Amino acid sequence: MDPAIVLFGLGIGALVGMTGMGGGSLMTPLLILIVGTSPSTAIGTDIFYSALTKIVGSWRHLKMGTVNLELVRWLAYGSVPAAIGGVGLIALVKQQVSEDRMNELLYAVLGGTLLMVGIVTLLRALILRDLIEERERFEVETRHKVAAVVIGATTGFVIGITSAGSGTVIAILLIAVYRLAPKRVVGTDIVHAAILLSAAAVAHWIGGNIDFGLAANILVGSIPGVIIGAALSDRAPQGFIRTALGVVLIASGFLTIKKGDPTVWPIAAAVAAVGLGSVLYAPHWVNKRRARQQEADQAAALARTLPAE
């Protein structure tokens, strides 16, 4: 048993329990940059350990009543098949290129994604919390279901390839798109991530990308960590933690892209930015369109009530 890895697991497990963020985004670069694990094994092992950790966290949040199960279901409809598709893409590329080339590509994609996840985390901590009126509950309508499937599919594919974003990216989208209150965000995010990561973990297991000994070391620390973090989620200084996490993710992204293909990581970052930006802007566009339609309907109704000249 490696005490350093157990300690990493404890700290990251507590962070996941408190905020729903930071599991894959931090553990994968730690395994790569500090432990020296190959990228594909680090991603697969991280997804496996994260799945078990978030299953434990899910049990805690379900007991606390902080989960929107309807939203979880629709997110999973998109994310589970997309994540399996992402793992399948890794297996396909492995058959076409050398191991060194595969590592370069994974470093680049992971690094570019970490940069964008870090920026998104900072935006959430510094800007969105003051701009968005949050709510505990809402009625899940057809447009919410469609948005959930799209969010699940786009983020699930990225998570299947890189393991990054199951908490961070989906959490900010739950706030920006659905305006969920922090407790609901964490609970809903963790339960959905448990389902998504379990499916991706099975796919990585089949692909031979999991180091079970390494995962066991992490779990020794992460399982008690996530229980402690969930219990502290109401009292933790969320803004400070998210700001610090965003800075760490950006630094991890820069360190990771140095080991990857310099022509690939900007493409990965740009794709992530466009995808996240589109999903974040979509609700604003829909609301503006609905407002214009309501104004037109009101004008038409007023015209029908006015006497003809």
Side-chain angles (χ1 to χ4, degrees):
M1 186 173 295
D2 188 329
I5 295 176
V6 172
L7 189 59
F8 287 152
L10 178 66
I12 292 177
L15 182 63
V16 169
M18 283 189 287
T19 67
M21 301 170 4
S25 301
L26 287 180
M27 185 56 76
T28 295
L30 278 174
L31 293 178
I32 292 172
L33 299 172
I34 296 178
V35 181
T37 310
S38 70
S40 57
T41 300
I43 290 167
T45 302
D46 181 27
I47 285 178
F48 173 74
Y49 116 82
S50 294
L52 295 178
T53 300
K54 293 199 174 185
I55 287 171
V56 175
S58 297
W59 165 78
R60 177 67 177 169
H61 279 281
L62 285 168
K63 286 189 66 176
M64 293 166 62
T66 58
V67 183
N68 187 318
L69 289 173
E70 180 78 354
L71 206 51
V72 167
R73 181 160 63 92
W74 286 98
L75 284 167
Y77 285 155
S79 65
V80 169
I84 294 172
V87 179
L89 178 61
I90 290 178
L92 182 63
V93 174
K94 272 186 173 180
Q95 297 174 2
Q96 306 298 322
V97 301
S98 66
E99 183 177 352
D100 288 344
R101 179 57 179 162
M102 183 68 193
N103 288 342
E104 284 184 349
L105 293 172
L106 287 175
Y107 281 133
V109 172
L110 176 61
T113 304
L114 286 172
L115 284 176
M116 294 314 305
V117 170
I119 292 170
V120 165
T121 304
L122 284 178
L123 286 174
R124 176 186 177 184
L126 302 177
I127 299 175
L128 289 181
R129 64 178 180 178
D130 297 323
L131 296 181
I132 297 175
E133 183 182 350
E134 298 167 342
R135 55 190 176 181
E136 287 285 340
R137 292 179 176 82
F138 68 99
E139 189 69 28
V140 179
E141 301 175 1
T142 300
R143 60 194 176 94
H144 299 132
K145 296 174 182 178
V146 172
V149 173
V150 173
I151 290 169
T154 52
T155 56
F157 183 75
V158 173
I159 290 161
I161 295 176
T162 68
S163 81
S166 65
T168 309
V169 174
I170 293 178
I172 193 171
L173 292 174
L174 289 175
I175 291 176
V177 177
Y178 300 106
R179 297 188 286 117
L180 285 180
K183 286 191 297 185
R184 290 275 167 180
V185 169
V186 175
T188 302
D189 184 27
I190 286 180
V191 173
H192 167 255
I195 298 170
L196 164 60
L197 294 173
S198 295
V202 171
H204 275 289
W205 189 349
I206 294 171
N209 298 329
I210 299 176
D211 184 332
F212 289 102
L214 181 60
N217 274 269
I218 300 169
L219 285 167
V220 169
S222 68
I223 289 179
V226 77
I227 294 173
I228 295 169
L232 296 174
S233 60
D234 282 341
R235 298 186 291 273
Q238 300 284 318
F240 171 77
I241 291 174
R242 288 167 185 159
T243 302
L245 178 59
V247 173
V248 171
L249 290 176
I250 291 172
S252 297
F254 277 118
L255 291 173
T256 305
I257 60 177
K258 287 182 179 180
K259 302 167 74 71
D261 187 323
T263 62
V264 172
W265 77 259
I267 298 173
V271 170
V274 171
L276 288 171
S278 299
V279 175
L280 287 170
Y281 181 73
H284 175 69
W285 179 81
V286 170
N287 289 334
K288 285 182 65 176
R289 185 174 178 181
R290 290 179 68 189
R292 286 197 298 267
Q293 185 61 47
Q294 288 175 354
E295 289 175 0
D297 291 343
Q298 290 172 358
L302 181 62
R304 288 193 296 269
T305 60
L306 292 175
E309 293 183 3

